[in-house]
Amino acid sequence: MKPFIYDYTIDQLQDWMKENGEPAFRGTQLFEWLYVKRVMSFEDMTNLSKGLRQKLDDQFQFVTLSEITRFESKDGTVKFLFGLHDNHAIETVIMRHSYGNSICVTTQVGCRIGCTFCASTLGGL
């Protein structure tokens, strides 16, 4: 199984580029495409050569979240259900307060915390 591109830090991307005959700055460009421009595929990375984009596609999985649904309440709370590449889902909730906003991001399928506003806890892990 190919590794996920999002598992790599900027330093690791720079190292990978050097190990694969590319200048290290290409790792910085790749990082910016992933985290600043937030593209959806290697093909969208237009300042990288087609050959490099193909090599990245051959070596890595490019997997992003897909928004399954979004619910917005009258108090400003927004709940997202995101689909994962393995057909499981995680939830994220943005809560608006008078003193600022807070966010709960599920980082695994299911949760043991037990927050009453979140469906991720219903089935446990």
Side-chain angles (χ1 to χ4, degrees):
M1 187 164 130
K2 298 188 289 189
F4 296 109
I5 191 65
Y6 283 102
D7 287 346
Y8 283 63
T9 65
I10 191 169
D11 291 335
Q12 291 170 318
L13 293 172
Q14 291 168 344
D15 290 344
W16 186 90
M17 290 293 180
K18 288 189 284 188
E19 291 165 6
N20 285 274
E22 298 286 339
F25 76 86
R26 294 277 185 229
T28 303
Q29 288 176 312
L30 176 56
F31 188 87
E32 289 173 354
W33 281 112
L34 295 171
Y35 293 101
V36 177
K37 298 174 184 173
R38 297 171 33 188
V39 297
M40 301 301 288
S41 73
F42 293 118
E43 194 58 35
D44 294 334
M45 300 177 183
T46 55
N47 66 347
L48 303 180
S49 71
K50 286 188 181 232
L52 177 54
R53 286 182 273 168
Q54 184 60 54
K55 189 183 288 189
L56 289 166
D57 192 53
D58 291 344
Q59 295 292 316
F60 296 101
Q61 291 187 62
F62 194 110
V63 179
T64 59
L65 298 176
S66 60
E67 185 179 314
I68 296 172
T69 190
R70 174 195 311 211
F71 296 105
E72 297 185 38
S73 70
K74 293 177 185 174
D75 68 358
T77 299
V78 182
K79 293 183 181 183
F80 295 91
L81 186 64
F82 293 113
L84 303 174
H85 70 284
D86 59 3
N87 295 319
H88 287 92
I90 59 173
E91 188 174 20
T92 295
V93 181
I94 301 170
M95 296 158 282
R96 308 204 189 277
H97 307 284
S98 60
Y99 52 84
N101 299 327
S102 60
I103 186 167
C104 176
V105 179
T106 305
T107 58
Q108 59 191 14
V109 176
C111 182
R112 290 188 178 141
I113 299 295
C115 300
T116 57
F117 58 80
C118 184
S120 293
T121 192
L122 297 177
L125 290 178

